[in-house]
Amino acid sequence: MASEGGERKPECLLFDLDGTLYLDSDGYVGHCRARAGEYLAKKLGMTKEEAEEKRKLALKTSNQTVKGLRALGYEIDDVEFVTYMRDGVEKFLKPNEKLSEFLSSLPAKKYIFTNTREVEAEKALKCLGIREHFLQVYGADFMGDMCKPE
């Protein structure tokens, strides 16, 4: 799409969620990592240290913890795992007026493309007060056995 001056403007924009629309310094990413380790320790009978090492390896293997764990031979209920891991989002992510204003200033259609489940992404967007800026959220349920950057 070209503007009046002949300059091309994007028709749509894809945004990642984690580490893009909120910072790691908000504490939510650390919270999710700790909860993932707790879950793995309980479900797989590991120490917290072993669980953390498996979590890191799984993420490094596939860029998504559940997919990586499955590649490593572990059967994980993805809904249960992600729900447990991301519980408590409202304690960390708060409305971000500056981000909302910035998103409002972008005339293109906006979408979320994330490796987490859509329901959890929706919760995070609502906590940030920016859900209304996005036409659709595409995540792990949409992608099935694939994940970004595949």
Side-chain angles (χ1 to χ4, degrees):
M1 165 197 300
S3 69
E4 291 179 20
E7 178 182 314
R8 289 186 56 96
K9 293 190 178 190
E11 294 181 30
C12 74
L13 299 169
L14 293 178
F15 289 83
D16 191 9
L17 178 62
D18 300 325
T20 301
L21 293 176
Y22 63 87
L23 302 175
D24 289 352
S25 61
D26 289 345
Y28 183 53
V29 171
H31 168 77
C32 290
R33 289 176 181 160
R35 300 264 307 164
E38 288 172 17
Y39 179 92
L40 294 175
K42 288 177 190 174
K43 286 291 182 175
L44 302 177
M46 301 175 171
T47 66
K48 286 187 178 186
E49 294 78 16
E50 291 169 330
E52 179 60 12
E53 288 303 312
K54 287 293 179 201
R55 184 198 65 77
K56 286 179 181 178
L57 180 59
L59 190 58
K60 184 178 178 181
T61 300
S62 297
N63 204 39
Q64 184 195 56
T65 307
V66 171
K67 184 176 180 185
L69 288 166
R70 288 181 177 155
L72 295 171
Y74 296 98
E75 283 302 316
I76 296 291
D77 179 322
D78 60 323
V79 173
E80 182 180 81
F81 174 75
V82 175
T83 301
Y84 183 90
M85 178 179 73
R86 291 188 170 261
D87 186 47
V89 63
E90 68 283 348
K91 296 174 187 171
F92 297 91
L93 302 184
K94 304 297 180 197
N96 185 330
E97 189 61 37
K98 287 183 181 180
L99 178 58
S100 185
E101 289 172 11
F102 171 71
L103 292 168
S104 289
S105 75
L106 301 172
K109 297 174 185 173
K110 293 172 273 304
Y111 300 88
I112 295 292
F113 193 52
T114 180
N115 279 340
T116 197
R117 297 188 63 243
E118 287 83 345
V119 67
E120 300 303 328
E122 293 272 359
K123 289 177 191 175
L125 292 169
K126 288 175 185 168
C127 286
L128 290 167
I130 59 173
R131 175 59 186 97
E132 70 276 4
H133 296 289
F134 299 95
L135 293 174
Q136 185 69 41
V137 175
Y138 295 100
D141 297 327
F142 169 77
M143 289 187 275
D145 291 336
M146 297 178 67
C147 68
K148 299 182 294 105
E150 293 177 52

